[in-house]
Amino acid sequence: MRSPKIDLRMASCDSWLPEYQWRTHHGRSVRAEPAVAARAVRDVVPGDMYVIRPLVFARSIPARLMSAKKERYLAKDARVIDGLYEGVGAFPLQDDPDGDLVVGFAGQPWALRQNWLTLTPDEYRDFDEPGHIKGLMAFSVGTRGSQTHLHTETRVYGTDHASVRRFRPYWLLIEPFSSLIRHDWLAAAARNAGS
């Protein structure tokens, strides 16, 4: 018997960023109630994951070399989601504690100093400044048969031809590592949820 099909186009993503040039998505079934799984996603710390600390450290090297102040990226006991807000320039768009979590980002990640902007949800919806990208990373929970299904999706939109041209090689470089982190995050959440 086939499992019910899950719509991989998340409604929350469509409401925040319906147009995009780049998209990845990953999923994992867990044996936990949806609300438990949703909380487990938020509570993942770097110590729960296998790959995030070395990858984020490597990604931060250019910024560390350019900055006089020494910043700590992803303390071992801090939630990964908080590290995105504090160290990577992401900002919350939607946070339903027992459901969807949508994180936004905007800026020029290809720049040596990785110029990130902090926007309010309303500013994010309207943002279309040339020479930038805007994107989101979302987590959602749904059901697949008798199990809960955790799903993550990342979307990125270039605001003009120049930003699309500049972001394309950056995406080709980081996407495999970004996907590895998403898989690792979902696996850690599944373990924390008791699955």
Side-chain angles (χ1 to χ4, degrees):
M1 187 170 156
R2 295 169 114 185
S3 295
K5 191 170 180 176
I6 294 176
D7 182 6
L8 295 176
R9 294 178 56 89
M10 295 168 50
S12 57
C13 289
D14 288 340
S15 67
W16 287 106
L17 192 61
E19 294 181 41
Y20 51 90
Q21 291 97 352
W22 297 275
R23 173 182 180 253
T24 62
H25 57 89
H26 310 282
R28 183 181 189 99
S29 293
V30 298
R31 291 187 183 101
E33 292 297 317
V36 172
R39 287 191 296 273
V41 165
R42 290 160 173 78
D43 291 339
V44 168
V45 298
D48 297 331
M49 299 172 70
Y50 300 116
V51 300
I52 194 167
R53 289 179 65 81
L55 290 178
V56 170
F57 179 83
R59 184 175 181 268
S60 72
I61 289 172
R64 287 169 179 261
L65 293 174
M66 299 295 292
S67 176
K69 65 179 185 178
K70 299 298 178 194
E71 299 179 21
R72 260 182 96 192
Y73 287 83
L74 288 178
K76 189 173 182 179
D77 57 348
R79 297 184 328 160
V80 173
I81 193 66
D82 296 330
L84 290 178
Y85 296 149
E86 294 162 14
V88 185
F91 43 86
L93 293 174
Q94 178 181 337
D95 189 351
D96 304 326
D98 295 336
D100 286 1
L101 171 65
V102 184
V103 175
F105 51 91
Q108 298 170 323
W110 55 80
L112 191 57
R113 291 184 185 258
Q114 293 190 332
N115 178 27
W116 294 109
L117 307 172
T118 300
L119 305 174
T120 67
D122 286 338
E123 290 170 337
Y124 177 85
R125 281 191 202 277
D126 297 334
F127 184 78
D128 65 354
E129 187 175 326
H132 292 76
I133 56 96
K134 73 176 181 178
L136 60 76
M137 179 183 67
F139 289 93
S140 70
V141 292
T143 55
R144 174 182 256 170
S146 62
Q147 292 189 324
T148 295
H149 188 75
L150 282 175
H151 182 250
T152 183
E153 182 169 335
T154 302
R155 293 181 180 185
V156 182
Y157 173 74
T159 56
D160 60 4
H161 293 298
S163 60
V164 169
R165 189 176 66 251
R166 289 181 132 180
F167 186 74
R168 184 175 289 116
Y170 179 82
W171 177 258
L172 290 173
L173 176 66
I174 64 131
E175 191 280 325
F177 303 106
S178 175
S179 288
L180 188 59
I181 289 171
R182 303 303 186 269
H183 280 291
D184 196 17
W185 196 332
L186 292 178
R191 287 190 300 272
N192 292 350
S195 188

